[in-house]
Amino acid sequence: MHATAKGHIIQLDGIRFIAVALVLIDHFFSAVNIIPYGKLGVTIFFVLSGFLISRILLKSKEHYVTEPDGFKKYIRKFLIRRTIRIFPIYYLLLAILFILNVPPVREKFAWLALYGTNIYIGIYQTWLGSCDHLWSLAVEEQVYLFFPFLIFFVSKKNLIPWLAVMGIASVLLRFYFYFSGKDWSVSYVTMPACLDSFALGGLMAWLQLYKKDIFLKLFDKTWPVLLGLLGWILMQYWNKSYADIHNIVDVVFDRLVSSIFSFFLIGRAVTGYGGLTKYFLENPVSVYLGKISYGIYLYHNFIYNHYHSGPNHPTVRLIHKIYQHFPSLEGNLTFEACLFSFLTVIVASISWYFFEKPINSLKDRYA
């Protein structure tokens, strides 16, 4: 495992880059894309979050559980560190969007500010335009509301059954939503219907900390990753056999199969890939883009959205000016996607160096 002195696993930055790149490919090629790369990218993020948060909480529990007022210290540390990492950039973005009156921020501000985007989508079975993608951040925040309690108050031995029940219940809930005729979006964005991803991440953290021999047997080879990828590919072919794109495969099984693939993809990165995969995940570009992936994900839909960026959107106007000088590029989706990605990385980099990184340094006080 290639990790820093503080225990930061280098290859996981490369995994973050893969996840956010899948989202960008899906969203920036929306006009022609028929493969759900974005859904896979979000699932990778969910499993990774489940692993990292569970790992942090389990280690923190070991440190505080025997101390007086141990739970207060444990929960205080977790909440402060999560607040420092997540809230500043999120609320800065909301403030800017509110001032610029970017739809639908002013109309739905309470839902956005309270991380209720996914709840809104689930209740009204409608999306939120340029703010659609914030549903996944809402899911993660809602998971953070109960995960610290689960890990602290459930014994080490009993945690795995709890995670198993959580994962199975999540899949069963998606079955229920599907057969009750709910719109596919309900199964997709509702927090309890996403918990199989987080449960697998939690299992991975538990195995790494307490069953190192089993962890190594599971993740020291690359073939399970390839098998998981094959399963995901076969699922896409199965999905295409249905006339309705939001069929039982898409609604119920997609997240489960994607989570299993992500489980092995991430676990192998923890033990450490070798060869070309190691180079790809650990090269400075992948590591940097993975490090700023939160900003990339947060900003990208406002840089450009195929369905919601109108003719007066700054990026659309920039494209038209480029086409005036280089008409041969007009309609070239690859050029457009590269341009959108470049602009997104620029904005995320400015955010990282001038806002996020200075604030994140405060986390060291609560290490």
Side-chain angles (χ1 to χ4, degrees):
M1 181 175 71
H2 186 186
T4 66
K6 294 182 179 180
H8 179 76
I9 303 169
I10 303 297
Q11 290 193 8
L12 292 186
D13 285 325
I15 297 295
R16 289 187 182 92
F17 166 56
I18 290 173
V20 80
L22 289 170
V23 172
L24 295 189
I25 290 169
D26 192 11
H27 290 179
F28 289 160
F29 283 97
S30 295
V32 296
N33 184 47
I34 59 171
I35 300 173
Y37 296 114
K39 293 173 73 174
L40 176 59
V42 169
T43 300
I44 292 172
F45 274 128
F46 282 171
V47 177
L48 182 58
S49 291
F51 168 68
L52 293 174
I53 292 303
S54 299
R55 188 168 171 257
I56 289 168
L57 290 171
L58 287 166
K59 286 184 174 181
S60 184
K61 175 184 176 178
E62 290 177 354
H63 181 74
Y64 290 114
V65 71
T66 57
E67 292 189 11
D69 293 326
F71 177 71
K72 289 182 180 178
K73 296 174 183 177
Y74 159 92
I75 199 68
R76 177 176 175 270
K77 176 180 177 180
F78 175 76
L79 292 176
I80 290 174
R81 288 178 63 87
R82 285 294 88 196
T83 297
I84 289 171
R85 178 65 190 105
I86 294 171
F87 288 171
I89 181 179
Y90 182 82
Y91 288 114
L92 173 67
L93 176 64
L94 286 190
I96 293 171
L97 297 173
F98 186 92
I99 292 168
L100 297 177
N101 195 20
V102 174
V105 175
R106 290 187 181 179
E107 297 86 345
K108 310 299 180 188
F109 188 77
W111 292 97
L112 295 165
L114 295 173
Y115 281 90
T117 314
N118 65 325
I119 298 173
Y120 178 91
I121 296 169
I123 291 173
Y124 297 103
Q125 299 183 34
T126 185
W127 293 86
L128 285 166
S130 59
C131 296
D132 285 347
H133 64 305
L134 301 182
W135 74 269
S136 65
L137 303 182
V139 167
E140 295 207 9
E141 285 304 303
Q142 290 157 22
V143 169
Y144 297 162
L145 290 177
F146 75 89
F147 235 61
F149 296 88
L150 175 71
I151 288 180
F152 192 88
F153 291 111
V154 173
S155 69
K156 180 170 67 176
K157 183 177 69 173
N158 291 331
L159 183 60
I160 297 306
W162 274 85
L163 291 174
V165 169
M166 196 167 76
I168 293 168
S170 179
V171 177
L172 293 176
L173 182 61
R174 294 202 296 271
F175 268 109
Y176 169 75
F177 284 147
Y178 179 78
F179 286 108
S180 64
K182 298 286 187 184
D183 185 74
W184 70 274
S185 60
V186 178
S187 293
Y188 187 53
V189 306
T190 305
M191 183 272 286
C194 300
L195 288 179
D196 45 343
S197 301
F198 292 93
L200 281 169
L203 171 62
M204 194 190 314
W206 189 90
L207 289 172
Q208 192 208 12
L209 293 176
Y210 306 123
K211 298 290 182 180
K212 290 184 173 60
D213 53 338
I214 297 176
F215 185 88
L216 288 174
K217 286 179 182 178
L218 276 174
F219 300 118
D220 69 346
K221 300 285 189 257
T222 303
W223 67 262
V225 183
L226 299 177
L227 192 62
L229 178 60
L230 176 62
W232 183 82
I233 293 171
L234 292 175
M235 184 182 63
Q236 304 314 310
Y237 280 102
W238 185 19
N239 190 13
K240 299 305 177 188
S241 67
Y242 288 83
D244 180 8
I245 60 172
H246 299 304
N247 52 71
I248 192 170
V249 179
D250 175 71
V251 173
V252 178
F253 296 110
D254 178 85
R255 179 169 282 133
L256 177 60
V257 175
S258 298
S259 296
I260 293 170
F261 165 57
S262 301
F263 177 77
F264 287 106
L265 176 74
I266 295 164
R268 184 71 181 99
V270 174
T271 60
Y273 286 94
L276 290 176
T277 308
K278 172 184 170 68
Y279 173 77
F280 176 81
L281 293 177
E282 294 188 13
N283 82 79
V285 175
S286 296
V287 170
Y288 173 70
L289 293 176
K291 194 171 293 183
I292 67 168
S293 59
Y294 177 42
I296 291 174
Y297 184 82
L298 197 58
Y299 296 125
H300 82 278
N301 236 27
F302 304 105
I303 299 298
Y304 180 78
N305 183 296
H306 174 73
Y307 299 104
H308 306 292
S309 297
N312 292 322
H313 189 283
T315 304
V316 175
R317 292 165 64 183
L318 173 63
I319 292 172
H320 289 158
K321 286 186 178 180
I322 293 173
Y323 289 160
Q324 288 174 8
H325 294 89
F326 303 96
S328 61
L329 291 175
E330 187 166 358
N332 188 317
L333 294 179
T334 301
F335 166 74
E336 291 182 0
C338 289
L339 176 63
F340 303 150
S341 299
F342 174 75
L343 293 174
T344 302
V345 169
I346 292 297
V347 172
S349 296
I350 293 170
S351 172
W352 173 254
Y353 282 109
F354 294 99
F355 193 71
E356 295 172 74
K357 191 175 181 181
I359 293 175
N360 281 344
S361 64
L362 298 175
K363 290 200 301 182
D364 293 336
R365 299 180 185 179
Y366 304 95

